[in-house]
Amino acid sequence: MQNQALIEEIKRLKAERRACVLAHYYTIAEIQDLADHVGDSLALARLATKVEEPVVVMCGVHFMAETVKMLAPGKTVLEPAPDAGCSLADSCGAEEFRRFIEAHPGHTVVSYVNTSAAVKALTDIVVTSGNAREIIESLPADEKIIFGPDRNLGSYINKISGREMVLWDGACHVHEQFSLEKILELKERYPDALVLVHPECPAPIRLIADCIGSTAALLAFARRSDARRFIIATESGILHKMRRECEGKEFIPAPPADSTCACNDCNFMKLNTLTRLRDALRDMKPAVELDGATAGAARKPIDRMLDLSARLGL
Ligand code: 13P
Ligand code: SF4
């Protein structure tokens, strides 16, 4: 079936089912264009608490669908791509994380939202890339902290805040892949270009950044900057919104090291296809189901994040 016919069918089913479609910036352009809301992890979590429709479709990865379900337990939460894992979330098993916490008694446990519900259930405060720095800096300076699972985001916050958080040794396979050499070559070719970097990138890439931030923060920076050209070191899906919202500006994807391809895709995010979105709305499945005890325990640190974010004006 042609894309246009699928798109029309999705719009019809969306209205029939009274469904709200949420999508992350890393999904394909066609899904972003169909979605009711497109956002970063923080915005999507906030939206989950406000949706009025009885059905929410989360086009993203599994931990995002879990988070929506925890924040909107009375809704039917559909995930078109239930097989969309996340290498970062997968780098942190709940049992190993429990042992890590036990090995560091007296530490506050701060976890990135890219974690399973089971890991969140072991956590004191959840953070996203959009609020991690501010939330951690708002804790007393002498508070001992474990941060997991992203060693890159963790070391970035340690550096800018002067904290010495104990870091879990996890990383995202997409953000680890960017080539410093290829970005520097692009900089030579386009000396006017600013380099926008997601904090999941390793330190050498962060060192040459003009802006480090969540996907939403990078988009906001591109919108308000007077520069006309940008090199983007995060998943390439974000370029769709950047190009849409910043007319006349040029966005160049930062290339990965081990590929001839110019941009860097998250294979998990790209599992959200128009066909799967149509099927989910048509069949009302797969729906997220969570163990009640785990979901209850995991929601507490997410609520704490939302409260702290609101209090800090984020
Ligand atoms: P954001 O917090 O910017 O949405 O990033 C989520 C993510 O998965 C990055 O890889
Ligand atoms: Fe996970 Fe990396 Fe994909 Fe983000 S880009 S969803 S951290 S695997």
Side-chain angles (χ1 to χ4, degrees), residues 7-232:
I7 288 168
E8 292 311 318
E9 193 180 354
I10 290 167
K11 285 184 182 162
R12 178 179 59 76
L13 286 163
K14 201 162 85 64
E16 264 174 39
R17 302 295 193 196
R18 292 178 51 225
C20 173
V21 176
L22 304 180
H24 191 269
Y25 288 123
Y26 294 164
T27 53
I28 58 170
E30 293 85 345
I31 286 189
Q32 293 190 42
D33 290 345
L34 269 169
D36 295 288
H37 305 280
V38 184
D40 69 353
S41 305
L42 179 58
L44 294 170
R46 283 194 171 125
L47 283 161
T49 64
K50 296 192 185 115
V51 167
E52 283 174 6
E53 291 86 342
V55 178
V56 185
V57 187
M58 183 63 238
C59 298
V61 293
H62 181 64
F63 78 80
M64 293 178 178
E66 277 189 341
T67 304
V68 170
K69 182 67 182 175
M70 287 185 270
L71 289 167
K75 313 251 178 213
T76 300
V77 177
L78 301 174
E79 50 177 343
D83 48 347
C86 164
S87 52
L88 188 47
D90 292 346
S91 73
C92 188
E95 263 323 299
E96 288 162 273
F97 197 55
R98 183 194 300 282
R99 285 197 288 277
F100 188 66
I101 294 169
E102 281 166 6
H104 298 90
H107 285 63
T108 298
V109 181
V110 180
S111 293
Y112 195 30
V113 71
N114 297 42
T115 43
S116 65
V119 166
K120 289 186 178 79
L122 301 169
T123 295
D124 297 305
I125 312 172
V126 166
V127 295
T128 77
S129 59
N131 58 22
R133 175 188 181 165
E134 291 83 355
I135 287 184
I136 288 162
E137 285 183 338
S138 77
L139 301 176
D142 59 352
E143 191 155 332
K144 291 195 222 156
I145 300 170
I146 284 175
F147 182 83
D150 190 21
R151 60 172 177 256
N152 293 318
L153 177 60
S155 67
Y156 168 63
I157 296 171
N158 273 348
K159 187 167 171 229
I160 51 179
S161 68
R163 306 266 165 156
E164 289 179 359
M165 299 188 296
V166 180
L167 306 182
W168 179 266
D169 192 19
C172 155
H173 71 300
V174 178
H175 289 87
E176 286 264 294
Q177 260 187 46
F178 288 112
S179 157
L180 180 61
E181 206 183 327
K182 289 185 184 174
I183 297 175
L184 290 174
E185 277 167 24
L186 281 174
K187 272 294 278 183
E188 243 174 66
R189 202 170 342 141
Y190 306 108
D192 60 323
L194 299 186
V195 182
L196 312 193
V197 172
H198 197 280
E200 286 175 25
C201 290
I205 309 283
R206 298 197 310 267
L207 273 176
I208 57 159
D210 295 290
C211 170
I212 300 175
S214 73
T215 43
L218 299 182
L219 178 60
F221 181 91
R223 259 195 238 114
R224 64 173 186 268
S225 170
D226 292 331
R228 310 304 295 166
R229 199 178 262 143
F230 304 86
I231 297 165
I232 308 301

